């Protein structure tokens, strides 16, 4: 599943082709993904100039001079193909720029989404309205976490996956950040000390920033938006490493189910 770093990498990759470009052709090749494409997608986007690109949580943003932003989500298996030699059955939306670049949103499992949102009101869009701060933004601070987690008995790991607390943090990065900060994933969120939260915030930033730098993490079904299928290799300390030795103490990494998903941790290093 594409996580925040993959979405950021995708946006940066797309920007090379789309920033400032005029969209000559906008072609939906089916009705939609997890929900229908906007009825006015072709009308609004054809002839529009891309004025900026961005990301909010795991959504990519393509701003246009029509005052509308195309908001995409890659779902479980989405990726953008750059200059595909030929279009395939899973290329569901095709954009062609005036300068002749072709970009195709490919999503075999169709859990992704494409929406048009008024740019000036993006913050009010229901999916964004209740979202917490970006992990790389200045608003994510130990004080924010302290306030948001105060009195909460749910596990710190589950709270960090809650988009209202921090936007766009996925399972991998929560496991890794908690390991680096030495915080047990099952600990009640409200019981995590101020100093521990102060250690956690820079580790959240670091794991995300390192993954972006590596160009996105190694995940099935994900390809870089440069037209080449391939996997980036990123070594994780705990994620998907059950039974392997902890990089700090050598004890075996443990896995348990939390909120229906796996958590990996070192029970010696994380308290
Ligand atoms: Zn350890």
């Amino acid at each position: 599943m594409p996580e925040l770093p993959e979405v950021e990498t995708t946006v940066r990759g797309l920007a090379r082709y789309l920033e400032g470009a005029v969209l000559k052709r906008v072609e939906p090749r089916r009705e939609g993904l997890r929900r229908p494409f906007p009825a006015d997608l072709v009308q609004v986007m054809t002839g529009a100039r891309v004025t900026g690109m961005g990301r909010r949580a795991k959504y990519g943003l393509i701003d246009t001079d029509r005052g509308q932003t195309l908001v995409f989500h890659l779902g479980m298996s989405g990726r953008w193909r750059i200059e595909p030699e030929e279009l395939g059955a899973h290329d569901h939306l095709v954009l062609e720029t005036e300068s002749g670049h072709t970009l195709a949103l490919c999503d075999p499992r169709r859990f992704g989404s494409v929406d048009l949102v008024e740019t000036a009101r993006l913050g009010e869009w229901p999916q964004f309205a209740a979202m917490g701060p970006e992990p790389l933004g200045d608003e994510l601070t130990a004080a924010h976490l302290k306030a948001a987690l105060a009195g909460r008995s749910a596990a710190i790991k589950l709270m960090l996956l809650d988009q209202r607390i921090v936007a766009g943090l996925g399972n991998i990065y929560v496991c890794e950040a908690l390991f680096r900060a030495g915080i047990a994933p099952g600990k009640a969120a409200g019981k995590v000390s101020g100093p521990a939260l102060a250690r956690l915030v820079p580790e959240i930033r670091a794991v995300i920033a390192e993954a972006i730098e590596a160009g996105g993490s190694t995940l099935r079904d994900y390809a870089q938006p440069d037209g080449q299928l391939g996997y980036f290799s990123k070594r994780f300390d705990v994620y998907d490493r059950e039974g392997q030795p902890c990089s700090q103490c050598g004890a075996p990494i443990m896995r348990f189910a939390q909120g229906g998903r796996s958590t990996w941790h070192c029970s010696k290093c994380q308290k």
Side-chain angles (χ1 to χ4, degrees):
M1 187 192 308
E3 296 273 4
L4 187 153
E6 284 84 2
V7 179
E8 178 68 28
T9 306
T10 296
V11 167
R12 291 180 188 184
L14 287 174
R16 292 205 294 264
Y17 300 88
L18 285 180
E19 191 100 54
V22 171
L23 301 175
K24 187 173 81 178
R25 188 167 65 97
V26 176
E27 186 198 351
R29 302 182 77 236
R30 58 173 301 116
E31 278 123 71
L33 301 174
R34 74 185 309 162
R35 52 181 174 268
F37 290 131
D40 56 352
L41 180 66
V42 174
Q43 185 203 330
V44 169
M45 297 300 281
T46 305
R49 182 180 293 278
V50 175
T51 53
M53 306 259 326
R55 178 190 56 72
R56 176 76 171 117
K58 297 208 291 181
Y59 289 85
L61 310 174
I62 304 175
D63 297 335
T64 71
D65 62 359
R66 301 280 163 91
Q68 301 268 330
T69 295
L70 186 153
V71 182
F72 67 86
H73 195 286
L74 297 172
M76 305 285 288
S77 60
R79 60 192 169 90
W80 282 89
R81 300 175 68 217
I82 311 289
E83 317 284 21
E85 284 190 11
E86 55 187 63
L87 295 173
H90 302 302
D91 294 322
H92 303 309
L93 176 67
V94 178
L95 304 180
E96 193 184 324
T97 68
E98 249 177 21
S99 48
H101 296 298
T102 301
L103 311 167
L105 178 57
C106 172
D107 187 357
R109 297 181 66 184
R110 284 188 273 119
F111 281 106
S113 61
V114 171
D115 292 282
L116 281 178
V117 182
E118 199 182 326
T119 308
R121 306 182 73 170
L122 271 173
E124 299 161 40
W125 191 49
Q127 280 83 340
F128 292 164
M131 251 180 206
E134 285 286 320
L136 295 178
D138 294 338
E139 290 169 35
L140 178 63
T141 60
H144 162 74
L145 289 181
K146 190 83 191 155
L149 303 176
R152 303 296 294 265
S153 57
I156 179 71
K157 192 236 176 169
L158 297 180
M159 287 285 93
L160 292 175
L161 286 174
D162 183 335
Q163 303 295 296
R164 293 167 294 188
I165 309 281
V166 188
L169 266 193
N171 197 29
I172 296 173
Y173 302 101
V174 170
C175 289
E176 293 292 307
L178 286 171
F179 171 75
R180 290 189 188 193
I183 300 169
K187 187 164 187 155
K191 296 251 165 72
V192 179
S193 70
L197 293 174
R199 288 198 306 274
L200 178 62
V201 168
E203 297 299 357
I204 288 173
R205 289 190 210 288
V207 292
I208 294 282
E210 285 167 24
I212 290 171
E213 202 166 311
S217 45
T218 304
L219 291 165
R220 286 175 288 277
D221 301 331
Y222 189 75
Q224 283 294 291
D226 60 1
Q228 292 173 30
L229 280 166
Y231 298 95
F232 265 89
S233 56
K234 166 101 178 83
R235 207 189 68 82
F236 295 114
D237 283 316
V238 290
Y239 179 80
D240 206 18
R241 296 196 69 225
E242 184 180 11
Q244 296 179 50
C246 169
S247 57
Q248 298 301 307
C249 75
I253 298 298
M254 316 282 274
R255 181 177 68 86
F256 68 105
Q258 230 182 343
R261 308 178 71 181
S262 286
T263 295
W264 290 267
H265 69 120
C266 172
S267 58
K268 289 226 168 87
C269 294
Q270 294 173 255
K271 299 292 179 192

